[in-house]
Amino acid sequence: MRSKSPVKAYLKALEETYRSGSAREESFYPHLKSLIEELSGGKVEVIQAPSKEEFGFPDFKVIRSSGGAIVGYIEAKRPGANLDAAETSEQLKRYFNFVPNLILTDFVEFRLYRNGKLRDKVSLAINNLPTIGKLTPKPSAEKELNRLLNLFLSFSMPAIKSMDKLADELARRARVLKEAIARNVESRAITDIYETIKNDLIPDLSPGQFADILAQTLTYSLLIGKLNAKRRITLDNVGNFIPQKLKLIRSIVALFVSSRMVEGVPDEIRWALDDIVNVVNAYAGGINYRDVATYFYEPFLKRYDPELKEIRGVYYTPREVISFINRGVDTALEDLGYENGLANESVKLLDPCFGTGAFISDAVDRTLEKHVSLWGNADTRRFIDEHVLENFYGFEILIAPYVIGHLTLDAMLKELGYRGDKAFRLYLTNTLERPGSVHHQSKNLLEQVLTDEKAKADAVKDKEPIIAIVGNPPYNKISANKNKWIVNLLKKTVDVGGEEIQSYYEIDGKPLKERKVNLQDDYVKFIRFAQWKIAKTGKGIVGYITNHAYLDNPTFRGMRQSLLKTFDRIYILNLHGNKRKREDDENVFDIQQGVAIGIFIKEKRKNDNKLAKVFYFSTLEAGLKTREEKLKFLSENTLASVDWKELNPESPSYFFVPTTITKELREEYERGWKVTNIFVEKTSGVATSRDRFVIDFDKHALVEKIKTFVSDEYTDKEVQKVLNLKENYRWRVKEARQKLREDLATHDLHEYIIPILYRPFDVRWIFYHPAVVWRPRIEVMIHMLRGENVGLAIGRQWEVVGSEQYDVAFVSKIPTDFNLFRRGGNKFSPLYLYLPNPRKPDPHNYIRVPNFTQEFQKFLKERYGDKVSPEDVLHYIYAILYHPEYRTRYAEFLKYDF
């Protein structure tokens, strides 16, 4: 029977606990739990959080006794705590971000917040616990508390009707889930999943990246369960509503909801998942597959982690771009003899960088539209079964977009009225990994499914005669795809079906003498994969939108020659938008890097050296500067209607852009000496990768930063935070500190502080040590430190951000920074070399010799005898490079050449 005054009994219990000598917050928890449950009349259950120091949720979760829906949360502070201070704390701000219904209490005063705004508060008693150990009840305490609790208990998650709002609510809770996974990554259940994904999919996966991947995957998976259930779900039943055909998603969800497997899952993660279930249950809308990327996935990532969205290049591809590429592929297929193009049931299509499935979705739309126009609706079910679901493939390496992709395509099939058991042939795999590579034996369900996915993807890579490849490959100069197969495929000329596919690392049969880092960009690897795959089939089409750097960058001239040899026709639609080169137009994506559509058509196997015909169109030259103008152009034109300009790519550059260089002008220009053929030793400038740390105007400030870095007063994590240092795959604070401490034990710190030419006329100080400087270029810069010297710093116009006129030449008496010319392009050559004196073997005894090649010295001797000095040569070169007529006449060469 209910007590006449539960509040008085509750206050009495608080007094007794306090007087017993225990003032720990947790000692009062049972009293609060009993009070709330009693006043609710048994309608709710109050669940106490585990007593862990780091737990990402408030102290209590309140759920309805019937159905288990979350009502809200309660955060308790010790009796007498300052709730005003607690209310403005970072902890409460964090809770307000994802808890819409929260009570904050010190067990005596109760404050109710809705979406972070104070709605009601009540104090039950005059608190004299610290002085006389007594609580004096207020006459209206029970009535006021009941009022507050009724308001608290009346809350239910408001119906969510738009995907944009759903993205917002889920993003907030997915962040909480990510933090919970990160805090518990060493628990057995989570470690097993981490090791499985790391071993079978992403070898260099960090714990932080894993927490992000798993949080997103689980969030999207619960949404799939809800959409299929069409009723309320719980963690206990959601697994029943993940379609059997989505085996990987089912296996991941099972690890967290199956009673057999859930044992080792930390409570904090279960709480976070329950909160996500609460949100998806409130979703009252449907999923329009066309809008998933635009109105759900991209907004979700933007709110979940804006920086992550930037890093991964997760920007939805505009429909107009996708449609133009797919229409071009469709038309080209007909030209190759495939009647009805994509609707031809012998055509096999692959998107090797699937993302959320926009290219495949559009291709399916186009294919079905064409099929229905030819044959009507009667045969559509068979056509989907036997063509679309058999011959359209997708590869994706990231689990989160893979899950979204299945969500998109499953919704699409339902929209088309398809009710069969087949799923799209979308596989979780690394496109750029060698097909058939050996993996260890599967130890659990997740490993079995991943192994199965990889085996199916490998069969497509190795055996299926893919005739069309489309997509938007990722652009990432520092590529994570470094496995041996794709790197060798780039570097080596390979025989594919009796046809040689030239290496990207050679040009006209000779090694490519360029920095190769750009050739390691992900989009380059995806182009190489597509080239290899189409060559295996013998004919076919590639339609990509990518970074447009490969069109004219000198580093890619071997790549361009290789593509010219493999394909018969190449269409380049340059969409520009390169903010780094100050192109005067908008990008079709929200990125800095300019882009281009490339459609590459191979008509047959080629065993001759005949190069492809290249057709080019520039939106900038056509006066299309805004995003809207460009997208309108793409929607209104086809491969046949664009006013293409035919190019004639020639050695040595094989440009995929128009050029004004004539044969006569080239011969005239090449009679001169390349600067890179004049000097023996040359290098790019010093690249620190952490300028703010190791470079400074103030020498004293720089010394203090280095002292802080090696100080034992700070842990590795503390010094990283204090100095705002970012780690990456090639540099770790711990290893750098250890190396630097070892060297400073025997050397004075000041020995490593030298001047550096940071920008023209801008001399600063650098702590010049390989432990903290990424690329010190010591093998060349040492000649600037051993004695008096001067060096020539030059660049190629395409490598820098600046004026359109050539202006990248400078001289320096000290080492130079890599970004001397605003954004790279600094090729530095000392005038003299300081070499060990063979007659006096002494580490401090050097002889000074000109840094000229033998060929150039011979030329000087024959032409001028002994009349010119090395300084004369440097002065002459510098004067020529600044001569207006020289710059104007050879402007096109100076963009790309030395």
Side-chain angles (χ1 to χ4, degrees), residues 87 93-94 210 237 460 474 532 602 769 801:
E87 182 182 70
K93 287 178 184 175
R94 181 177 171 280
F210 164 73
N237 69 17
V460 176
W532 169 81
K602 184 174 179 62
H769 192 290
V801 177

Side-chain angles (χ1 to χ4, degrees), residues 296-345:
F296 178 75
Y297 186 51
E298 189 178 2
F300 174 91
L301 283 183
K302 191 172 183 179
R303 291 154 192 165
Y304 170 73
D305 189 340
E307 189 175 327
L308 180 74
K309 180 177 178 291
E310 288 283 343
I311 291 168
R312 292 194 178 157
V314 182
Y315 298 93
Y316 85 96
T317 311
R319 290 178 191 164
E320 295 86 349
V321 171
I322 295 167
S323 176
F324 181 86
I325 291 174
N326 281 342
R327 280 184 284 125
V329 168
D330 193 38
T331 302
L333 283 167
E334 293 186 347
D335 291 345
L336 290 183
Y338 292 91
E339 190 178 0
N340 302 324
L342 288 169
N344 188 304
E345 294 187 38

Side-chain angles (χ1 to χ4, degrees), residues 192-203:
D192 284 350
I193 306 170
Y194 173 43
E195 293 298 332
T196 296
I197 295 174
K198 191 173 180 180
N199 291 336
D200 290 3
L201 197 62
I202 310 174

Side-chain angles (χ1 to χ4, degrees), residues 327-556:
R327 280 184 284 125
V329 168
D330 193 38
T331 302
L333 283 167
E334 293 186 347
D335 291 345
L336 290 183
Y338 292 91
E339 190 178 0
N340 302 324
L342 288 169
N344 188 304
E345 294 187 38
S346 64
V347 166
K348 293 181 181 291
L349 174 77
L350 169 67
D351 183 346
C353 34
F354 183 85
T356 57
F359 275 88
I360 293 290
S361 298
D362 180 84
V364 172
D365 270 344
R366 190 164 310 285
T367 301
L368 288 175
E369 185 181 329
K370 186 174 282 192
H371 174 79
V372 170
S373 70
L374 290 168
W375 311 108
N377 289 307
D379 196 35
T380 303
R381 164 70 188 268
R382 180 206 63 79
F383 183 75
I384 292 174
D385 250 332
E386 296 181 10
H387 180 42
V388 173
L389 296 180
E390 285 293 323
N391 294 328
F392 286 19
Y393 302 90
F395 294 161
E396 178 54 50
I397 190 173
L398 296 174
I399 302 180
Y402 166 89
V403 175
I404 286 287
H406 270 301
L407 169 64
T408 302
L409 296 175
D410 206 41
M412 180 183 191
L413 287 177
K414 288 174 183 173
E415 190 175 306
L416 293 169
Y418 178 79
R419 296 293 181 268
D421 296 327
K422 286 185 181 178
F424 271 90
R425 292 178 179 252
L426 167 58
Y427 302 124
L428 188 67
T429 189
N430 184 352
T431 298
L432 304 179
E433 187 175 65
R434 177 174 65 88
S437 54
V438 179
H439 275 244
H440 57 276
Q441 188 174 357
S442 303
K443 294 179 293 196
N444 57 46
L445 176 62
L446 180 56
E447 279 191 316
Q448 289 170 17
V449 177
L450 282 172
T451 301
D452 183 54
E453 290 263 316
K454 186 185 183 311
K456 289 175 179 175
D458 282 353
V460 176
K461 287 183 201 176
D462 204 32
K463 297 183 172 59
E464 291 293 346
I466 299 296
I467 200 75
I469 297 176
V470 296
N472 177 9
Y475 322 153
N476 192 355
K477 193 171 180 178
I478 308 298
S479 172
N481 279 294
K482 295 178 180 176
N483 66 78
K484 190 178 290 186
W485 181 73
I486 191 61
V487 171
N488 284 340
L489 196 62
L490 286 172
K491 290 182 176 180
K492 295 181 178 179
T493 296
V494 293
D495 186 292
V496 181
E499 180 180 352
E500 276 199 351
I501 308 299
Q502 178 185 311
S503 160
Y504 288 1
Y505 281 64
E506 64 180 58
I507 182 75
D508 294 333
K510 297 177 181 177
L512 182 69
K513 294 181 179 179
E514 293 284 351
R515 291 174 61 241
K516 311 299 192 302
V517 64
N518 289 326
L519 287 172
Q520 289 297 318
D521 201 310
D522 279 335
Y523 83 92
V524 177
K525 293 174 181 176
F526 275 92
I527 290 176
R528 184 61 167 178
F529 167 81
Q531 180 186 12
W532 169 81
K533 185 58 185 169
I534 292 298
K536 274 176 73 74
T537 302
K539 61 179 177 177
I541 302 127
V542 178
Y544 278 163
I545 180 166
T546 68
N547 182 328
H548 71 175
Y550 77 98
L551 302 182
D552 59 355
N553 182 320
T555 304
F556 298 101

Side-chain angles (χ1 to χ4, degrees), residues 84-98:
D84 290 334
E87 182 182 70
T88 57
S89 68
E90 289 303 317
Q91 181 190 40
L92 263 290
K93 287 178 184 175
R94 181 177 171 280
Y95 290 160
F96 290 151
N97 190 48
F98 73 93

